[in-house]
Amino acid sequence: MTLQTVYLNGDFMPMEQARISPLDRGFLFADGVYEVIPVYQGQLFEWEAHYQRLENSLAGVFINNPMDNQAWLSVLQQLISLHPWQDQFIYLQISRGQQIPRDHLPQADLIPTVFAYTNPLKPLADSIISHGIKVITLEDIRWQRCDIKSIALLPNVMAKMQAQAAGVDDVILVNQQGYVTEGSASNMMMVKAGEIITPPLSAHILPGVTRQVIEKIANRHHIPFIEREIHQTELDSADELWLASSTKEALPICQLNGQPVADGQPGAIWKQLRQLYQNYKIQTRTRSTI
Ligand code: PLP
């Protein structure tokens, strides 16, 4: 097992030595935000997009960014270089900091707690490439600011547990009006008649970086990419359904609420997109090393 080094409040240290106060507002109030960033062949993927979203999340909850873009890059690049894995994913979290005594109202002078660590990023399992994943639809019971990447993830955790209890891999969340929002930790896409359709950006979904990359790839390759609301009744006649996130890229959903999606196999557009996505990863890496 590789010993993991983590970054905490200015220092790199073995994971076992990292300590955070029990009065940290992240622990007591889930008062903080996070990012998950893939690393391919030792290089951060779509750093600027992740950094921009981090800034937006921090601004959305009124926490000052404790570091600028270059300082973050330097920390994350050191963290990457301290681990042997070619492909990794970084988790970084900023909470509002420790406050004594506990009070809902934050003190003005708190020092944010900054934590980052990295993990090996595994390729998609062969079984998923061949057979996809199974999902159920579930009511979206989250708050009205899902565009903020908040560490308050209890509804997402509960959704994952409900998926497991139902014997499936994940969920498609549906709002009270019957419209799809996203997955428990991913954006949702539907393919119908050759078009990739996904709910528009709003306060009700996270602006996924993978979603943005898929949009860019689709535009480059003249695959229609349409942003519009998707009613849950449309899912039953979809040609393909996907969930998209940084660590999984696009995942084909092959069973929905116990029924096969189309012929129950990963679809042609997903296969094409998957290949284009791999090419995009190589192209962006080559560009950033020039
Ligand atoms: N939506 C939610 C709720 C998520 O948690 C995530 C990722 O964790 C996404 C969407 C996809 O975002 P990204 O593609 O930036 O990983």
Side-chain angles (χ1 to χ4, degrees), residues 34 53 142 149 182 184-187 206 208-210 244-246:
Y34 75 108
R53 187 172 63 188
R142 301 173 304 158
K149 204 162 166 63
E182 54 187 344
S184 67
S186 50
N187 290 115
L206 189 78
V209 174
T210 316
S245 71
S246 287

Side-chain angles (χ1 to χ4, degrees), residues 55-68:
E55 291 237 290
N56 293 346
S57 296
L58 287 165
V61 298
F62 320 119
I63 297 178
N64 289 329
N65 193 342
M67 289 192 275
D68 66 16

Side-chain angles (χ1 to χ4, degrees), residues 54-127:
L54 177 65
E55 291 237 290
N56 293 346
S57 296
L58 287 165
V61 298
F62 320 119
I63 297 178
N64 289 329
N65 193 342
M67 289 192 275
D68 66 16
N69 190 317
Q70 281 310 309
W72 272 113
L73 260 183
S74 156
V75 165
L76 300 184
Q77 280 164 352
Q78 280 185 71
L79 193 59
I80 294 165
S81 69
L82 290 168
H83 297 87
W85 315 301
Q86 292 288 298
D87 292 352
Q88 309 181 14
F89 66 95
I90 288 180
Y91 175 89
L92 69 85
Q93 172 173 322
I94 302 156
S95 79
R96 203 179 301 272
Q98 174 189 233
Q99 178 168 346
I100 305 169
R102 177 187 179 277
D103 192 334
H104 282 62
L105 182 65
Q107 284 164 13
D109 57 352
L110 297 180
I111 301 165
T113 303
V114 181
F115 171 66
Y117 86 118
T118 187
N119 300 275
L121 178 56
K122 305 261 163 52
L124 218 52
D126 289 342
S127 61

Side-chain angles (χ1 to χ4, degrees), residues 180-196:
V180 170
T181 52
E182 54 187 344
S184 67
S186 50
N187 290 115
M188 192 271 163
M189 277 139 219
M190 171 173 90
V191 175
K192 184 82 188 162
E195 295 179 337
I196 303 171

Side-chain angles (χ1 to χ4, degrees), residues 35-48:
E35 268 301 320
V36 174
I37 312 166
V39 172
Y40 299 117
Q41 304 289 311
Q43 287 185 28
L44 290 158
F45 181 67
E46 299 291 312
W47 164 247
E48 292 302 330

